[in-house]
Amino acid sequence: MNRKSKWIMPPEDTGSAAVEFRGSADIAGGLKRASACVSAMGVYKFRVNGREVSSAVLAPGWTSYKNRVLYQRYDITDMLSEGKNTLSVSVGKGWARSPLSLMREGNLYADHPSAIFYLKLEYEGGKTKEVFSDGKWEVWTTPVINSEIYDGETVDLTVAPRLIGEALPDKGIDVRLAPQYSGLVTEHERVAARRLITAPNGEKIIDFGQNLAGYVEIRITGKAGERVSISHAEVLDKDGNFYTGNLREAKQRDTYTLSGGRDVLKPSYTYHGFRYVRIDEFPGEPAPSAFTAIALYSDMKRTGYFTSANQDVDRLFRNVVWGERSNFVDIPTDCPQRDERLGWTGDAQVFCRTASMIYDTSRFFDKWLADLAAEQRADGSVPRFCPMVPGMDEEGNSAGWGDAAVICPWELYRAYGDPDVIRRNFPLMRGWIEYMHSAGDEEYLWIGGNHFGDWLATDAGEGAYVGATQTDFIASAYYAYSLSLFVKMGQVIGEDMTGYEKLYTSVRRAFRETFMSSGMPVVYKKGDGANKARRTKAVTQTSLAILLAFDLADPGERGAIAKKLVAQIKENGGKMSTGFIGTPLLLPVLSSEGYVTEAYNLLLQTKAPSWLYPVRHGATTMWEHWDSLRTDGTFWSDDMNSFNHYAYGAVAAWLFETALGIRQTEDSAGYSQPVIAPRPDRRLGSASGSLDTPHGKIGVSWQYTDESVRYEISIPDGMCARVEIPGKPPVNVTGGEYIYTT
Ligand code: BGC
């Protein structure tokens, strides 16, 4: 962005409507290159001579607006012609002005739309010309009367745009403009309507057959002034009626007044989480063929594929992928539908590894981590979600949530092998470590504080949000775990980590002395009182899994802990009782301790709580709760019941790393030392998949026949991998295709 460009705003209050900032460029002959930079307070659409320049939606995206706003650069050379050209930036409320979270009044970052623009024209022979947004730009009305992130959009196509007046300089904006470097949010899959339902209560509903984040495009020719209105929802209730209870206050409704010609309707400045739309208003009989759902998410390269002959597991994996797509809308959101859609740190942390296998998330997370760093407080703590919504901030953060500051950079480094992610995030990580170091009265433990614990675990009984594992246990374990990762990462980039290494030794020792006895977890009696009220238990599936996964158990203790975990699962009817913190750890620790069959038992469990229960109950995305929908068709609650929450999708990392066996040695990164160690199970029949690593694509498939298992492994040229086929001696192989039968 050029410094001479000014933020501009409308000359009068335009309320909730989207406005168009209109400028022009006079183009002479011999134009070689035209490059435009655009940004807005709100979300914008950029058009040249009335044509949309890019398929970007919701630009400039959501960043920590008090610290930085991104601008986007577009090559518009081919869109300009000699003579006068119209440049237009239309701005809707977006995240800057819509109500967000509990801040229902909106206008959180600004109370009016603003835009900033710069165009550089380069001519043959070296001459250049520039165009800036300034007071010469005009401000026009648009057909968009209202548009909000949660509530949807209202569009009137009968009203011709009207000149409001000349733009004014917006002197109130004092924010750093940074270039966009992550993928823009754009339109992806187009999903045709599957069926039109008339619900028992008479409402007309379109079913797209897939829950997703995006919007609906409607093609229609009607009379001028006729209206179309649709509401969006994820599920039908037990009677088959349209259910919006779990959206809480989000209206998710788009309303259009038709122009009278042929209209292609879709919103410009909002998005929804939905599988179904209810037709609230429509002229005549709606035909399903007129409706198409369009998925919106950040552009990322697809890197990980998995399929299985077991239809349930296959669907589970697809649900994880849709969970990622639906929640990687510029920031990693918890869910795309209710009045929340926030960048919750804990959710991002538990899903980061899986997400980074399925898509190349390096730039996506890099952008979000830069905002997390921008919002880090002087004491090193980071907000619960990022970007933080003004008015919603609280001190500190929960263990397992704030640890995103360390764990996300670690997972990105492991996935892509680029040490720069460590360098860039080193101060962020150090700050969070120092925050944990100073939190509470104990130097080497994290006791007390406000924690989400093993969020949504079922072991604390019906209706509890925080699971039975002591929150001090989880907090102190994360303190040790994040510190261990921080030490490793510091060493990778050549920092002197001796002080932190010593600290780690003390933290691990203190954890073991406080939270373990005879190699098993115990409750710390002097711990947080609130824990006791929640019927804290010492030995839970989560506490056992944490000891193994975070290397808090000594080698001689691991066997007994794993055995106890297997017994606990058995006592619970072969089901898990874990929440956000414990669930992603279960299968990895079971299989790494030799309980591969038990891990598969858990994976293949179909009664709740289990990954396949939602699959068997029609899920097309991951659910927030194990029993979001109960067997009798009722919902566990209206309050916190997202049907598109990616956190439990973290299980897919195990499908790659253990079922297919595409992994890497503990001390390497970016698959520079890959290990292929598939662990098949007859109940899956076959599995196949691939991972596009920085060193090329690794492919693995295995298939059961009557007496044998056949493995096919594909290693890219130039890669050297260790192959560990069950029942065969390990071998080192180089690029090529390999077949094994056992
Ligand atoms: C979100 C979660 C989040 C949690 C923190 C919820 O409202 O949807 O996914 O991690 O709050 O407790």
Side-chain angles (χ1 to χ4, degrees):
M1 187 59 73
N2 191 287
R3 251 190 259 149
K4 281 188 254 167
S5 292
K6 298 277 173 279
W7 281 96
I8 50 175
M9 60 187 271
E12 62 188 50
D13 183 3
T14 49
S16 284
V19 298
E20 181 192 346
F21 295 95
R22 205 183 279 181
S24 63
D26 286 316
I27 305 297
L31 180 70
K32 222 172 68 187
R33 208 159 74 99
S35 160
C37 295
V38 188
S39 192
M41 251 316 160
V43 287
Y44 74 83
K45 289 268 177 197
F46 174 33
R47 294 184 182 85
V48 171
N49 298 322
R51 266 179 53 214
E52 264 182 47
V53 168
S54 124
S55 58
V57 187
L58 303 171
W62 194 8
T63 45
S64 172
Y65 288 148
K66 62 177 185 196
N67 292 295
R68 59 185 206 134
V69 176
L70 302 188
Y71 67 86
Q72 290 69 39
R73 188 184 292 277
Y74 306 96
D75 185 334
I76 57 167
T77 319
D78 295 341
M79 300 188 76
L80 297 168
S81 39
E82 262 183 66
K84 192 175 168 181
N85 292 260
T86 311
L87 309 165
S88 121
V89 182
S90 301
V91 182
K93 289 167 81 172
W95 292 282
R97 296 185 56 220
S98 294
L100 294 175
S101 186
L102 301 178
M103 307 307 285
R104 299 305 302 172
E105 296 299 311
N107 284 351
L108 297 164
Y109 298 95
D111 60 7
H112 56 266
S114 311
I116 189 162
F117 180 88
Y118 170 66
L119 173 64
K120 185 169 183 187
L121 302 164
E122 292 170 67
Y123 288 95
E124 310 282 353
K127 239 178 75 191
T128 61
K129 210 186 140 195
E130 295 174 313
V131 178
F132 311 98
S133 47
D134 57 23
K136 285 193 229 85
W137 282 51
E138 293 171 345
V139 185
W140 289 72
T141 61
T142 74
V144 178
I145 294 163
N146 185 23
S147 177
E148 286 181 353
I149 296 287
Y150 298 155
D151 285 351
E153 194 156 302
T154 307
V155 182
D156 186 347
L157 295 170
T158 60
V159 185
R162 175 180 65 79
L163 175 67
I164 301 173
E166 279 185 349
L168 298 179
D170 189 342
K171 300 218 170 83
I173 303 188
D174 177 24
V175 68
R176 191 164 65 83
L177 277 156
Q180 173 91 32
Y181 54 92
S182 55
L184 290 164
V185 177
T186 58
E187 294 185 355
H188 292 268
E189 289 77 9
R190 294 176 67 87
V191 182
R194 227 192 237 177
R195 57 194 176 126
L196 174 71
I197 309 166
T198 304
N201 64 6
E203 290 175 346
K204 294 256 191 269
I205 300 168
I206 299 268
D207 177 8
F208 291 99
Q210 175 61 56
N211 200 6
L212 53 83
Y215 45 55
V216 174
E217 180 187 275
I218 307 170
R219 291 177 181 264
I220 184 170
T221 306
K223 296 201 188 87
E226 283 181 331
R227 281 161 59 100
V228 169
S229 183
I230 54 171
S231 299
H232 303 67
E234 294 185 291
V235 285
L236 304 181
D237 70 11
K238 108 178 184 315
D239 302 318
N241 290 319
F242 197 70
Y243 171 73
T244 55
N246 70 328
L247 306 178
R248 303 194 304 217
E249 290 195 24
K251 290 199 188 69
Q252 294 215 114
R253 180 177 301 143
D254 295 334
T255 302
Y256 307 91
T257 305
L258 304 184
S259 69
R262 188 172 145 67
D263 292 321
V264 179
L265 310 173
K266 63 180 179 184
S268 300
Y269 312 105
T270 189
Y271 78 105
H272 312 293
F274 66 100
R275 167 178 167 166
Y276 300 93
V277 295
R278 181 181 62 205
I279 300 170
D280 299 321
E281 291 179 69
F282 202 87
E285 253 323 282
S289 57
F291 296 79
T292 308
I294 301 174
L296 293 184
Y297 49 89
S298 293
D299 282 343
M300 298 171 290
K301 183 176 166 247
R302 180 76 188 265
T303 47
Y305 293 87
F306 175 89
T307 57
S308 158
N310 180 308
Q311 306 235 313
D312 288 337
V313 175
D314 202 49
R315 182 71 241 190
L316 172 67
F317 182 74
R318 280 189 283 139
N319 291 359
V320 176
V321 175
W322 274 107
E324 177 163 357
R325 290 174 179 157
S326 312
N327 285 296
F328 278 43
V329 179
D330 206 53
I331 61 159
T333 59
D334 54 340
C335 56
Q337 74 300 87
R338 68 178 175 226
D339 52 358
E340 192 150 9
R341 312 183 193 187
L342 303 172
W344 277 97
T345 44
D347 308 41
Q349 177 269 111
V350 297
F351 189 59
C352 184
R353 176 185 297 201
T354 301
S356 306
M357 291 175 171
I358 297 173
Y359 282 95
D360 178 349
T361 65
S362 50
R363 284 171 178 240
F364 175 84
F365 270 116
D366 225 42
K367 165 186 172 286
W368 182 71
L369 286 168
D371 288 300
L372 197 63
E375 300 211 332
Q376 186 164 37
R377 308 177 187 105
D379 66 0
S381 64
V382 293
R384 291 164 294 156
F385 49 82
C386 172
M388 179 39 75
V389 171
M392 291 290 296
D393 208 2
E394 279 171 18
E395 274 184 17
N397 195 346
S398 165
W401 269 249
D403 292 277
V406 176
I407 294 172
C408 293
W410 167 250
E411 295 297 352
L412 298 176
Y413 171 63
R414 283 276 285 172
Y416 310 117
D418 179 4
D420 276 349
V421 73
I422 303 176
R423 288 190 193 99
R424 272 194 299 276
N425 291 294
F426 198 74
L428 167 70
M429 298 194 263
R430 187 177 45 213
W432 176 250
I433 297 293
E434 286 305 337
Y435 172 72
M436 291 194 284
H437 191 181
S438 60
D441 295 334
E442 307 272 351
E443 183 178 1
Y444 303 130
L445 297 171
W446 186 357
I447 304 297
N450 213 353
H451 298 286
F452 301 121
D454 190 17
W455 185 245
L456 306 186
T458 56
D459 53 6
E462 183 80 4
Y465 283 97
V466 178
T469 310
Q470 188 171 30
T471 56
D472 302 310
F473 178 103
I474 295 174
S476 300
Y478 263 101
Y479 179 13
Y481 179 58
S482 285
L483 182 51
S484 72
L485 301 181
F486 179 58
V487 168
K488 281 190 207 171
M489 286 189 274
Q491 287 164 346
V492 168
I493 59 165
E495 290 281 334
D496 176 8
M497 300 305 280
T498 36
Y500 286 108
E501 267 182 283
K502 277 196 200 125
L503 180 62
Y504 174 69
T505 307
S506 306
V507 168
R508 187 173 183 276
R509 187 187 311 121
F511 178 91
R512 290 177 49 80
E513 283 168 8
T514 312
F515 291 105
M516 289 178 77
S517 170
S518 311
M520 282 292 151
V522 290
V523 165
Y524 179 45
K525 293 282 182 295
K526 284 190 267 171
D528 178 14
N531 286 311
K532 287 173 205 135
R534 287 188 209 112
R535 280 170 292 151
T536 301
K537 291 178 203 133
V539 179
T540 62
Q541 293 180 16
T542 294
S543 66
L544 295 164
I546 282 179
L547 294 186
L548 296 171
F550 293 177
D551 197 26
L552 293 162
D554 281 345
E557 296 162 342
R558 296 183 71 88
I561 295 171
K563 206 166 156 200
K564 186 85 187 164
L565 176 58
V566 172
Q568 287 260 313
I569 294 168
K570 202 165 167 204
E571 271 166 41
N572 198 41
K575 293 174 292 180
M576 63 178 113
S577 58
T578 47
F580 276 31
I581 294 297
T583 304
L585 312 178
L586 286 176
L587 299 190
V589 301
L590 284 172
S591 52
S592 71
E593 294 305 315
Y595 293 100
V596 177
T597 304
E598 288 74 4
Y600 271 107
N601 293 347
L602 205 55
L603 174 72
L604 296 172
Q605 173 62 256
T606 53
K607 293 205 179 68
S610 73
W611 289 285
L612 295 189
Y613 171 83
V615 168
R616 287 281 175 98
H617 287 77
T620 59
T621 36
M622 302 306 293
W623 294 353
E624 180 174 19
H625 281 262
W626 293 124
D627 58 349
S628 283
L629 180 71
R630 297 196 182 110
T631 43
D632 65 1
T634 59
F635 301 114
W636 98 282
S637 134
D638 274 352
D639 186 40
M640 295 280 277
N641 205 7
S642 152
F643 287 87
N644 203 351
H645 238 69
Y646 59 52
Y648 290 142
V651 66
W654 188 86
L655 297 175
F656 286 106
E657 293 182 319
T658 304
L660 295 177
I662 305 174
R663 41 175 64 211
Q664 55 184 329
T665 58
E666 291 270 306
D667 301 322
S668 62
Y671 296 86
S672 58
Q673 292 175 23
V675 179
I676 314 300
R679 294 290 174 267
D681 188 285
R682 187 175 283 279
R683 288 167 287 179
L684 256 58
S686 67
S688 135
S690 61
L691 193 67
D692 219 338
T693 76
H695 300 283
K697 192 194 284 280
I698 301 174
V700 174
S701 66
W702 46 257
Q703 191 174 9
Y704 277 81
T705 57
D706 281 348
E707 312 77 50
S708 60
V709 191
R710 179 190 155 92
Y711 299 84
E712 285 181 29
I713 292 169
S714 152
I715 305 292
D717 284 345
M719 182 181 270
C720 179
R722 186 172 172 79
V723 176
E724 300 175 1
I725 300 292
K728 288 201 182 282
V731 282
N732 290 326
V733 301
T734 50
E737 311 287 321
Y738 300 88
I739 294 175
Y740 303 90
T741 310
T742 58

